Amino acid sequence: MAAAKKAVLGPLVGAVDQGTSSTRFLVFNSKTAELLSHHQVEIKQEFPREGWVEQDPKEILQSVYECIEKTCEKLGQLNIDISNIKAIGVSNQRETTVVWDKLTGEPLYNAVVWLDLRTQSTVENLSKRIPGNNNFVKSKTGLPLSTYFSAVKLRWLLDNVRKVQRAVEEDRALFGTIDSWLIWSLTGGANGGVHCTDVTNASRTMLFNIHSLEWDKELCEYGTGCFLLCNTGRKCVFSEHGLLTTVAYKLGRDKPVYYALEGSVAIAGAVIRWLRDNLGIIQTSEEIEKLAKEVGTSYGCYFVPAFSGLYAPYWEPSARGIICGLTQFTNKCHIAFAALEAVCFQTREILDAMNRDCGIPLSHLQVDGGMTNNKILMQLQADILYIPVVKPSMPETTALGAAMAAGAAEGVGVWSLEPEDLSAVTMERFEPQINAEESEIRYSTWKKAVMKSVGWVTTQSSESGIP
C-alpha cells in the first residue's frame, strides 16, 4: 500500500517557549496563525539555601530537545511534513543567568534564576558606591538596582564560584541569559555555536544602554512570573511609580526600536506551584479552581506571596510572604481563593502605577498564558481591576509572538505582519461583576496586608560564598 500522502500546508514556524516552570515547543501555520501541535515539559527548581533559586542549564536544554522531538513526532502522526518549518523563534524566562565553558559546552554553575535573592548584599554595596541615588544606572538602563537583574547575579558568580573565575581568567567563559544559552547550544555549541541575544533580553541585564542600544562600557565595569507591559511606542517613558522602562521589540537590523513600561509580579503562577509542592493542598495546578469555586470568597483571608521580596511598584527586598486575616473558620479553600486574589491584587498595583505614568487609564486588560484557563481567576481579575479582562481563545500568544517575529525575519519572510494580513483572533471577555465600592475595600485591605509583609528581613544571612 502506498505511504499516506503528507498534508500540504503553507510554511510553518516553530517557537521555543522556555519559562521558569516549564518548556514548550509550539508549531504554527504562518498563513492562519493556527497552532498545529505542541509539547510541554516541566522544569525543576532547586533551592540550595533560603532565598536561593537555581536550575540546571543542561536540564533546560534537554527539555527543549525533548519538546522539539515530541512535537515533531505529533506532526508526523498528523501527516505534516516537518521540513515545512522555516524558522524557530525563542521566548524565554529573562534575567536568569548562565555562565558556561565555550570549549566544552558545559555550564560552570547552575543557572541563577531571576527570583534568586543571594545578591542582596551585592546590590547594597553597589548602592553605596554609585553616586546620585542610583540615577546613572536607571537613566542608562531603565532599571532600578535590584537582585532581579542579570548583572548582579553575574557579579556574584565571579566573586564566589572558583570554576567561573578560572574560566574567565583563561578566556573560556561565556555569559548569557537563557536565550543565549539555548541558541548557542542549538546552533552547534562548542562547534561554532552562535553567541548572541536580542535587545529585549539585553535590556534586562543591567549592562545595556537602552538609548544607544549597545552594551554600556561604564556599566560593564562594576568592579521567576506575571508581567504587565504597556507599549509606549518609540518614546522612552521613565516611571515615577516604580515601573521599569524596557525595550519592547525591534523587528530587524534597520527597523526602529519600540519601548514599554513594565511591571513585574514576582510570584504569580509560582504561588499555585507552592500550594501544590510545599503545602500539598492540591495535587495538580488545575485543582485550585475547584477549591476556590467551593467557597467563592477568601473569607477575609489575604495572602501576600512576597517569597523573594516585593517587585513593582515597591522594589522592597525586605518583604516576605504572609497569610493574614486567619480565623478558626479558615480552610484550604479560602487560602486557595486568597492565592488567586493575590495575583489579581498585584496586577492591580502595577496597572494603577501604569495609569499614573501614562496619564491615560487602560480601558481593558489583554491577558495570555496558562493561568488564563482559570475562569475564576479571570473573573476575579476583572472584579479587582474594575475593567474588562479580554482573553484570546488561543492563550499561547507569547509563543505566537516569537513565531511571528521569527517568520517575519529578514531572509525568512513567511509571515506578514501587515495588519490586513493578520488573521482575526477570537476573544473571551470578562466584565466586572461586583460594585466599585466592594472592589476598593478589598484592594485597600490587600495594601494593608502588603505593609505588614515589609521590613521582615533586616539583614540577609544567606549571602556567603559556596565551597
Side-chain angles (χ1 to χ4, degrees):
M1 188 177 149
K5 195 166 184 278
K6 294 277 184 193
V8 180
L9 295 165
L12 311 182
V13 181
V16 172
D17 184 359
Q18 205 299 297
T20 315
S21 51
S22 71
T23 298
R24 290 172 303 175
F25 182 65
L26 307 93
V27 174
F28 298 91
N29 181 331
S30 68
K31 298 298 173 215
T32 62
E34 179 194 357
L35 174 59
L36 299 175
S37 185
H38 73 286
H39 190 76
Q40 180 166 355
V41 171
E42 199 166 285
I43 301 288
K44 284 200 287 290
Q45 291 182 13
E46 297 170 27
F47 308 96
R49 297 189 190 182
E50 189 195 344
W52 292 27
V53 189
E54 297 179 0
Q55 290 178 330
D56 179 352
K58 289 170 86 172
E59 186 196 343
I60 292 174
L61 179 60
Q62 193 49 47
S63 72
V64 171
Y65 286 134
E66 187 180 334
C67 287
I68 292 174
E69 193 178 326
K70 291 282 195 291
T71 303
C72 289
E73 279 174 19
K74 290 176 187 177
L75 290 170
Q77 287 159 10
L78 295 168
N79 273 343
I80 294 169
D81 190 344
I82 60 170
S83 69
N84 280 344
I85 299 174
K86 302 302 180 193
I88 293 176
V90 176
S91 166
N92 57 287
Q93 49 166 320
R94 296 164 308 169
E95 298 94 18
T96 296
T97 300
V98 189
V99 179
W100 67 95
D101 187 317
K102 69 180 179 186
L103 302 181
T104 65
E106 289 293 309
L108 296 163
Y109 188 75
N110 270 348
V112 181
V113 177
W114 57 279
L115 283 165
D116 188 280
L117 285 177
R118 77 188 67 187
T119 53
Q120 189 51 45
S121 65
T122 310
V123 169
E124 285 162 10
N125 291 338
L126 286 170
S127 297
K128 286 176 200 145
R129 280 166 43 197
I130 293 172
N133 195 20
N134 308 337
N135 270 353
F136 101 86
V137 173
K138 191 164 183 182
S139 64
K140 284 169 180 273
T141 66
L143 312 175
L145 275 179
S146 165
T147 58
Y148 186 14
F149 307 110
S150 313
V152 288
K153 301 178 196 304
L154 180 59
R155 181 73 264 164
W156 186 91
L157 290 167
L158 291 168
D159 290 342
N160 293 281
V161 182
R162 186 67 196 115
K163 276 173 81 174
V164 171
Q165 293 162 355
R166 202 174 297 127
V168 169
E169 287 158 13
E170 295 169 10
D171 197 27
R172 291 184 284 112
L174 293 180
F175 148 73
T177 42
I178 294 296
D179 59 314
S180 304
W181 162 243
L182 294 179
I183 291 168
W184 185 83
S185 302
L186 292 168
T187 55
N191 300 311
V194 179
H195 186 217
C196 65
T197 189
D198 75 319
V199 289
T200 66
N201 279 291
S203 75
R204 305 307 281 260
T205 59
M206 228 164 67
L207 299 169
F208 186 74
N209 188 310
I210 61 173
H211 309 287
S212 66
L213 302 183
E214 290 173 340
W215 299 111
D216 193 283
K217 194 168 186 300
E218 194 177 2
L219 293 171
C220 289
E221 288 168 358
Y222 280 150
T224 238
C226 171
F227 307 94
L228 186 58
L229 284 99
C230 178
N231 187 331
T232 59
R234 291 160 74 167
K235 188 176 167 198
C236 243
V237 176
F238 283 91
S239 173
E240 302 290 320
H241 302 97
L243 301 177
L244 310 178
T245 305
T246 196
V247 176
Y249 56 90
K250 185 178 189 292
L251 293 172
R253 204 181 298 271
D254 303 319
K255 297 283 168 51
V257 65
Y258 285 76
Y259 295 96
L261 278 173
E262 178 177 316
S264 314
V265 174
I267 304 289
V271 75
I272 316 300
R273 194 165 167 166
W274 183 82
L275 291 177
R276 184 192 73 186
D277 297 347
N278 293 37
L279 293 195
I281 68 172
I282 50 175
Q283 298 318 121
T284 65
S285 299
E286 291 71 34
E287 273 177 51
I288 193 162
E289 187 171 10
K290 205 169 79 188
L291 283 187
K293 199 172 182 179
E294 256 177 63
V295 284
T297 172
S298 68
Y299 199 74
C301 168
Y302 284 79
F303 186 165
V304 182
F307 300 155
S308 301
L310 289 165
Y311 283 17
Y314 298 99
W315 297 106
E316 188 47 79
S318 70
R320 284 297 174 274
I322 60 167
I323 302 176
C324 51
L326 300 176
T327 68
Q328 279 184 305
F329 182 70
T330 310
N331 63 31
K332 65 180 182 180
C333 298
H334 299 119
I335 291 173
F337 196 96
L340 293 182
E341 278 193 315
V343 176
C344 303
F345 286 131
Q346 291 176 97
T347 306
R348 165 80 190 260
E349 300 213 270
I350 290 167
L351 192 82
D352 281 3
M354 225 161 240
N355 286 341
R356 289 198 292 271
D357 279 326
C358 292
I360 306 164
L362 293 179
S363 58
H364 65 277
L365 179 73
Q366 289 185 310
V367 296
D368 75 328
M371 289 187 84
T372 62
N373 294 322
N374 186 323
K375 284 191 160 39
I376 287 194
L377 178 66
M378 293 297 93
Q379 187 55 55
L380 269 175
Q381 190 69 84
D383 290 346
I384 288 165
L385 295 179
Y386 216 67
I387 56 172
V389 168
V390 179
K391 166 191 180 264
S393 54
M394 199 284 290
E396 304 293 354
T397 50
T398 304
L400 177 59
M404 288 167 78
E410 212 173 300
V412 180
V414 298
W415 205 311
S416 168
L417 299 184
E418 296 303 321
E420 63 272 16
D421 296 330
L422 295 173
S423 36
V425 179
T426 53
M427 300 281 193
E428 191 175 355
R429 198 175 166 94
F430 296 84
E431 300 282 348
Q433 288 182 354
I434 61 173
N435 63 48
E437 190 185 6
E438 189 192 336
S439 181
E440 288 308 314
I441 289 167
R442 278 159 68 177
Y443 183 46
S444 60
T445 313
W446 156 264
K447 282 179 124 36
K448 202 163 102 182
V450 169
M451 288 303 104
K452 294 194 182 301
S453 79
V454 170
W456 193 261
V457 177
T458 44
T459 53
Q460 201 66 22
S461 53
S462 52
E463 290 282 342
S464 58
I466 55 159

